[in-house]
Amino acid sequence: MTLPSELAEILTKILHDAAKILDRSLKELVNAQQSLSLNNEIFLIPKDIVTDPRYLKVTERSSPKFSKIMLELLGEWQASYIAERNDEIKSILDNRMPSNFSRKISDRILMENYQKHRLLVLFSPLKISSSCVDSLRENLEIELIEDLKMFLDVNYHLESDECPIEFYSDYFYNPINSNDIQQLQSILNCLPTLLLHTSISDYKAYFHLDFWLPYSSYILNFTLPVWYWEDALGILESANKKGREALRIIRQIVIFIQELLTTFISDWYYLHLNSNYSPKLLQSEKIFNLRYFDLSLIAPYLDIIKSTQQQQNLKQDNLLKIFSNQHKNDNKKLLQKIKEWSLSTVLTSHSGCVYDLAFNSDRSILMSGGSDSVVRLWHPSTGKPSLNLKGHMGDIFAVAVSNNDRYFASSGSDCKVLVWSLDKLQEPIAFNEHSAYVSSLAFCPDNRFLASGSYDKSIRIWDLWSNKTFRVFSEHSSYVTALAFDQKGDFLASGSYDCTIRIWKLWTTKSHITLSGHSDYVTCVAFHPNNNLLASGSRDSTIKLWRPDTGAMISTLKGHTSGINSLTFSPNGEILVSGSSDRTIRIWNVKTAEEIGILAVGVHPILCVHFSKDGKQLAAGSCWTDNIKIWNCH
């Protein structure tokens, strides 16, 4: 049963005119995202996602994993953004939450589902005149909410790997206004959000939608041309549709318009994430109830979606070509740099193995510790020792230099941590509270705190201002073997024989997050100098790259044939260097997570590698005749 031709023509004109306006509005929305421009093309994806190795690995769009990986990456970005704004968000929710918004649902959206990327669809209570006929006033909102909910659950289920939607019809207590929309955007600006709100008088209907993207303050405001529903009712009655049946058709038209707008915006958004996404709108005969409607009603919407898909395919192809060429050029440049590195010095004063190395800021000092119980300070430029620091009995497993070059620290099998001050190099401060080997050390960038990890399964944070224990972390179930602070000192990473990495914040007593994925002992960890990235090495012969704030594993680097003993990033973050028991030093392109060369093959395991802070020298420690080697990396 189709609509009377007169009514069909009216609806066709309204919807077709609306499609033109909506198309222009969406183009304006895209043009407002200039910060996301790459090579003069705007991608509605944060740049750090576009350059993520996981994204690059699945850029073959036919991959069934593409949409899933994209949603995971956006979920991580979203979680990181929410974590950064956590105090601000809590303050808004606790103190400045508008009375028209549901606090409970806000918590669910921002706190419970914070890691899941999805399009959020919020339906405002229907604003309907009390002078409307009873059948419309009493039944429309019930049917509209229930039908839209079922429609989205079937076609855009929240657990979908391609096009998830989270829908609420009870987020607002009362119909919303423009001020509500602005306030809501300030709270939910990390999520793509579609607001639907409709007003109906005794003879007119107004359909509104508001839409914003994450990472943007721009709000698309759109209103359909006015529909005179009372005139439509008269046309239906003139076509022998009785009062109740005619009002049911009016309600179905309202529901259809809401479903169409929601489908159109959802498909448009998900096409901008994945040009290989299959738009639901192109399956209109399957998803819509077309009992009263002809497909010609929505023809312009289909055309816009098809055009969007073609444009996104071209953009994606261009992006792939750009990044493919860029990566080839990057690898060539890095390979050329590495070819210019030269072995400048070999230091052989240690008797036995060298377990750890550390440069001071200007490379005037190289600190080393090994199996001969002596901490040695060297002049890297001349290769001559400048000072031996004594105080340990047994192997020295870790050495470290503070950021301000004032403190030198060491630890070893005697369970002690020794800290030398630059002005008192013969009188170290001893910390003796560990009950087993102290295997790792890391200075906090603030120069106040020193972290030590031990075979007693604990991490101790020492306050160098008071020379006392500041904090003890003890959640690892086996030996702690590796420590590293990030560049700001916000996070401390620890690796353990329990095969996990834990991320800590100094001002809390429990670990922030646990990273699991290695199949054997974790032996080393290193933070990237610029990005939110952590590298870990293991006896399972692999290196893994992680997002430390979310716990997401980004890549697994394979190439070594034995356990990884040490990792170091170049100061510009382009290169990761690894030393292994397979006796090789390997070099990796951080951006692509690819091996780009082997620097050296020794006759003994490579136990430690360390870049100078200016990136001009790389030092590696091994055993016996391969004690310490230094490369110039100009």
Side-chain angles (χ1 to χ4, degrees), residues 488-554:
K488 295 179 180 178
D490 293 334
F491 294 113
L492 172 69
S494 60
S496 168
Y497 268 35
D498 64 12
C499 306
T500 70
I501 301 107
R502 289 182 182 267
I503 308 296
W504 313 82
K505 293 182 178 180
L506 293 193
W507 304 99
T508 60
T509 56
K510 293 184 178 180
S511 59
H512 173 64
I513 202 164
T514 302
L515 312 179
S516 300
H518 283 294
S519 59
D520 208 333
Y521 308 153
V522 177
T523 51
C524 48
V525 290
F527 275 101
H528 189 278
N530 304 317
N531 294 338
N532 179 23
L533 191 68
L534 175 73
S536 63
S538 167
R539 276 208 347 192
D540 64 12
S541 307
T542 69
I543 300 162
K544 294 186 183 293
L545 301 180
W546 313 80
R547 293 281 183 226
D549 54 346
T550 64
M553 187 193 301
I554 297 170

Side-chain angles (χ1 to χ4, degrees), residues 394-425:
D395 293 346
I396 296 169
F397 294 131
V399 295
V401 181
S402 64
N403 267 12
N404 62 2
D405 297 331
R406 181 181 175 185
Y407 298 111
F408 298 79
S410 61
S411 65
S413 60
D414 57 6
C415 312
K416 291 193 297 188
V417 176
L418 297 183
V419 179
W420 286 270
S421 178
L422 191 60
D423 53 356
K424 295 182 180 180
L425 287 177

Side-chain angles (χ1 to χ4, degrees), residues 385-397:
S386 62
L387 191 64
N388 293 339
L389 304 179
K390 297 182 179 180
H392 284 287
M393 298 288 290
D395 293 346
I396 296 169
F397 294 131

Side-chain angles (χ1 to χ4, degrees), residues 14-296:
I14 289 172
L15 290 175
H16 286 208
D17 288 348
K20 294 176 185 176
I21 300 168
L22 194 50
D23 188 31
R24 286 198 302 268
S25 298
L26 287 168
K27 286 175 181 174
E28 290 172 4
L29 175 67
V30 171
N31 289 332
Q33 318 306 317
Q34 288 298 325
S35 63
L36 301 178
S37 177
L38 285 169
N39 293 85
N40 300 316
E41 296 279 11
I42 296 174
F43 294 86
L44 302 187
I45 304 167
K47 287 184 180 178
D48 52 352
I49 290 178
V50 176
T51 56
D52 188 292
R54 288 169 293 173
Y55 177 86
L56 300 174
K57 284 181 181 179
V58 291
T59 44
E60 172 53 56
R61 297 185 311 281
S62 60
S63 168
K65 294 182 179 179
F66 187 86
S67 287
K68 184 178 180 181
I69 295 293
M70 174 59 70
L71 291 175
E72 288 175 356
L73 291 171
L74 284 164
E76 289 170 23
W77 175 88
Q78 181 178 291
S80 178
Y81 182 85
I82 290 173
E84 288 176 6
R85 293 183 62 227
N86 189 54
D87 292 342
E88 178 188 348
I89 291 171
K90 282 188 175 180
S91 175
I92 292 173
L93 296 180
D94 291 338
N95 306 311
R96 291 179 282 142
M97 187 71 178
S99 59
N100 194 28
F101 302 170
S102 168
R103 168 61 192 269
K104 183 178 180 181
I105 296 176
S106 297
D107 285 343
R108 191 181 309 155
I109 292 169
L110 291 170
M111 302 303 173
E112 295 178 25
N113 295 335
Y114 73 100
Q115 286 185 304
K116 183 173 183 61
H117 190 77
R118 70 282 190 202
L119 175 62
L120 184 65
V121 177
L122 303 178
F123 183 81
S124 172
L126 195 64
K127 190 176 182 180
I128 188 165
S129 170
S130 59
S131 59
C132 276
V133 294
D134 291 347
S135 179
L136 192 64
R137 190 178 66 252
E138 294 172 1
N139 297 314
L140 178 57
E141 185 158 22
I142 295 172
E143 292 177 353
L144 188 52
I145 291 172
E146 293 301 326
D147 284 11
L148 190 55
K149 182 178 179 182
M150 286 190 291
F151 177 82
L152 295 176
D153 195 49
V154 170
N155 298 296
Y156 299 92
H157 195 277
L158 182 56
E159 299 307 318
S160 167
D161 286 338
E162 285 192 315
C163 51
I165 284 180
E166 187 172 14
F167 173 71
Y168 292 102
S169 60
D170 53 350
Y171 183 82
F172 305 106
Y173 297 121
N174 299 294
I176 59 174
N177 55 42
S178 58
N179 188 50
D180 287 331
I181 294 166
Q182 292 291 336
Q183 288 182 303
L184 185 66
Q185 202 267 350
S186 69
I187 299 171
L188 299 178
N189 62 353
C190 59
L191 283 168
T193 303
L194 173 63
L195 305 181
L196 300 171
H197 43 118
T198 301
S199 302
I200 299 178
S201 73
D202 61 349
Y203 71 106
K204 292 181 184 178
Y206 307 86
F207 300 91
H208 310 280
L209 72 79
D210 300 277
F211 176 52
W212 62 76
L213 298 167
Y215 46 72
S216 171
S217 59
Y218 187 96
I219 302 176
L220 183 156
N221 306 114
F222 172 77
T223 299
L224 224 70
V226 176
W227 178 46
Y228 293 87
W229 71 265
E230 190 178 48
D231 291 349
L233 183 64
I235 294 170
L236 289 167
E237 288 174 341
S238 298
N240 296 319
K241 308 297 181 189
K242 302 302 179 183
R244 178 174 290 185
E245 183 184 6
L247 283 167
R248 284 177 179 167
I249 294 173
I250 295 295
R251 297 200 300 269
Q252 283 301 309
I253 292 171
V254 173
I255 292 167
F256 173 75
I257 290 173
Q258 299 284 18
E259 290 176 347
L260 172 62
L261 293 175
T262 304
T263 302
F264 177 72
I265 293 295
S266 302
D267 285 350
W268 181 91
Y269 178 68
Y270 283 114
L271 271 175
H272 279 80
L273 300 190
N274 175 13
S275 60
N276 203 47
Y277 163 69
S278 298
K280 304 292 184 182
L281 199 60
L282 302 187
Q283 308 164 43
S284 297
E285 292 179 338
K286 292 182 180 179
I287 68 171
F288 292 126
N289 178 359
L290 297 176
R291 179 181 177 188
Y292 302 111
F293 311 113
D294 188 275
L295 283 179
S296 62

Side-chain angles (χ1 to χ4, degrees), residues 426-462:
Q426 302 303 327
E427 302 175 24
I429 300 164
F431 298 106
N432 300 300
E433 295 180 33
H434 282 295
S435 59
Y437 293 177
V438 183
S439 58
S440 48
L441 294 171
F443 275 104
C444 184
D446 66 4
N447 302 301
R448 176 181 175 181
F449 296 110
L450 171 67
S452 59
S454 170
Y455 278 29
D456 64 12
K457 306 177 188 178
S458 76
I459 301 161
R460 289 185 176 270
I461 310 298
W462 310 96

